[in-house]
Amino acid sequence: MNKFQNQILVRDEIIKRIPKEISIFISISINTLKPKEGEIYAYYRFLLSKEGRIRNKPLQKKDFQNTKDLYKQIIHEFLEDKLLIFYKDNTKQIGHGNDAYLGMCLQNEKGEILNLYYSGNALFLYNEMKKEIEKKKQKDFLKYGEKNIKEQTVERIVFYPSVDDRSSILYIEDNEEYDNYHKRIQNQLGYYYKKTKYAIEEKDIQNIVKIIRMYINTHIFLNPKYKYSYNAKFQTTGLVIYFENGYLIDIKDLDLIEKIEKKGIIDDLWLVMHQLTDKMPEKNASFEEKELLLVKKKKYLQRKKSDL
């Protein structure tokens, strides 16, 4: 990993094909040809995988005069019109005794992987890129979930914390590598979010809440209900929102359960279950609409109490 590929060879590869995985190492240098001006510029080094897809039409060599041109082309192709579905923080040590590079590992819906690593003197570029990637991640995760839910191909949704500093969203139509059908996963949308101790990023919570509301409303005709699971000490261990045909939303993380409860998911689903509203209210419902639902709920509870 400490032997970077020749710039000319990288250029020739990029103009002919789109590699499946690209790693770019970014550092800052001073242009010694202009010592008085002290011009600072970014320096890019590349590692390309051997796998990839051949371009229908090769790019023009004349458009890639330096490594910055290559960098811009790679970033554009990786992000343009493609949804980001995986993000992971990472560090990389190059050689012995050198500073570690701080980086982010990305994957889009086409299965293409882009790893961006920044040296210690280029962290301001890392911070700028991370802000943009986080914005795209939040938007794309929601779009990816919406696309599959609206196609009504998702039978099961799972929300789990990830094992390290990563977050991803993935739709599995059928993981055929498992011969044992008990282990096979089919038609499942999984949202795996970063969690630091008990804290979940608010952006992930916003996405999760929107996805849950969207899924319930898409299958509202299947009479959605919910139930909690408990351990021997009667502590909550999970929440399942389930439907008549076996479709379900599975949540195992108590911290996430508490977050979505505070966002009104269970309260609103309760209204749906008791036919007090014909769909899950949207987050941006007006104050008057929320007050009307609250009045309906109070009247319903009073009526149930009087029937006892």
Side-chain angles (χ1 to χ4, degrees):
M1 287 297 295
N2 60 348
K3 187 176 181 181
F4 300 109
Q5 292 169 332
N6 180 279
Q7 176 186 344
I8 295 175
L9 296 178
V10 169
R11 182 197 63 192
D12 291 344
E13 281 291 295
I14 291 295
I15 65 174
K16 294 176 185 175
R17 70 184 178 100
I18 300 176
K20 183 175 181 181
E21 181 171 0
I22 302 175
S23 295
I24 306 177
F25 295 79
I26 301 113
S27 57
I28 295 296
S29 297
I30 297 178
N31 190 342
T32 56
L33 298 178
K34 299 180 180 180
K36 291 184 180 180
E37 299 177 27
E39 182 182 354
I40 297 176
Y41 66 97
Y43 185 74
Y44 307 92
R45 293 172 288 185
F46 303 85
L47 287 173
L48 311 180
S49 68
K50 294 181 180 180
E51 302 83 14
R53 55 188 177 89
I54 303 298
R55 297 182 186 279
N56 294 328
K57 184 178 180 181
L59 302 175
Q60 297 293 319
K61 279 189 179 182
K62 63 181 179 61
D63 294 330
F64 303 100
Q65 301 300 317
N66 50 50
T67 57
K68 187 175 182 179
D69 294 337
L70 290 171
Y71 170 78
K72 287 182 176 180
Q73 178 69 25
I74 290 168
I75 296 294
H76 172 77
E77 286 190 333
F78 182 82
L79 298 177
E80 187 71 15
D81 298 326
K82 297 172 186 175
L83 299 179
L84 182 67
I85 64 169
F86 177 93
Y87 174 96
K88 179 184 178 183
D89 292 322
N90 196 21
T91 57
K92 183 74 68 175
Q93 188 77 33
I94 303 299
H96 300 286
N98 294 331
D99 292 336
Y101 281 68
L102 183 61
M104 57 189 84
C105 302
L106 314 171
Q107 183 175 332
N108 62 32
E109 61 179 327
K110 300 296 184 181
E112 298 165 354
I113 298 170
L114 176 62
N115 307 309
L116 301 174
Y117 294 103
Y118 298 79
S119 65
N121 64 2
L123 292 185
F124 68 96
L125 293 176
Y126 166 82
N127 291 329
E128 289 175 1
M129 177 59 78
K130 187 167 184 177
K131 288 179 182 178
E132 294 303 313
I133 292 298
E134 286 181 341
K135 288 179 185 176
K136 182 169 177 59
K137 173 206 145 184
Q138 183 184 17
K139 181 176 65 175
D140 286 5
F141 276 30
L142 186 60
K143 279 186 177 180
Y144 184 86
E146 180 178 21
K147 179 179 68 173
N148 290 285
I149 290 171
K150 291 297 176 65
E151 290 174 356
Q152 298 195 27
T153 58
V154 179
E155 297 179 8
R156 174 188 176 97
I157 301 181
V158 297
F159 296 104
Y160 295 150
S162 62
V163 294
D164 54 16
D165 288 338
R166 70 177 68 188
S167 53
S168 61
I169 186 167
L170 177 66
Y171 173 67
I172 301 175
E173 183 176 358
D174 188 351
N175 58 338
E176 297 177 349
E177 64 268 24
Y178 289 108
D179 294 330
N180 186 334
Y181 73 93
H182 291 294
K183 294 183 178 179
R184 282 176 65 174
I185 299 174
Q186 295 176 278
N187 302 320
Q188 174 176 291
L189 179 68
Y191 193 117
Y192 307 93
Y193 50 90
K194 289 198 292 184
K195 184 178 177 183
T196 306
K197 292 185 178 180
Y198 305 107
I200 305 169
E201 291 185 355
E202 179 61 28
K203 292 178 181 179
D204 278 325
I205 295 171
Q206 291 174 10
N207 273 354
I208 290 168
V209 167
K210 289 177 181 178
I211 287 173
I212 292 174
R213 290 182 181 277
M214 184 189 309
Y215 192 74
I216 292 173
N217 281 335
T218 301
H219 299 90
I220 202 76
F221 57 94
L222 294 173
N223 298 320
K225 295 180 175 61
Y226 67 91
K227 62 181 177 182
Y228 289 90
S229 56
Y230 305 92
N231 58 20
K233 296 181 180 179
F234 298 101
Q235 297 170 321
T236 302
T237 57
L239 169 65
V240 173
I241 299 171
Y242 59 99
F243 303 78
E244 283 185 349
N245 62 351
Y247 288 12
L248 60 85
I249 300 172
D250 189 16
I251 307 169
K252 298 293 188 185
D253 180 12
L254 181 57
D255 294 308
L256 179 59
I257 292 172
E258 291 177 350
K259 295 291 185 183
I260 66 172
E261 285 175 340
K262 290 179 179 178
K263 297 291 185 179
I265 290 291
I266 300 304
D267 288 339
D268 291 342
L269 181 52
W270 189 94
L271 294 170
V272 170
M273 289 168 54
H274 294 87
Q275 292 82 48
L276 298 177
T277 180
D278 57 356
K279 68 174 184 176
M280 287 287 283
E282 299 295 331
K283 179 184 175 183
N284 58 356
S286 68
F287 178 78
E288 290 78 10
E289 289 174 316
K290 292 177 181 177
E291 285 295 300
L292 178 60
L293 290 173
L294 183 60
V295 170
K296 285 183 177 182
K297 183 174 182 179
K298 287 180 178 178
K299 287 183 177 179
Y300 179 83
L301 291 174
Q302 289 171 356
R303 186 189 68 189
K304 293 290 288 185
K305 187 175 180 181
S306 64
D307 292 340
L308 297 177

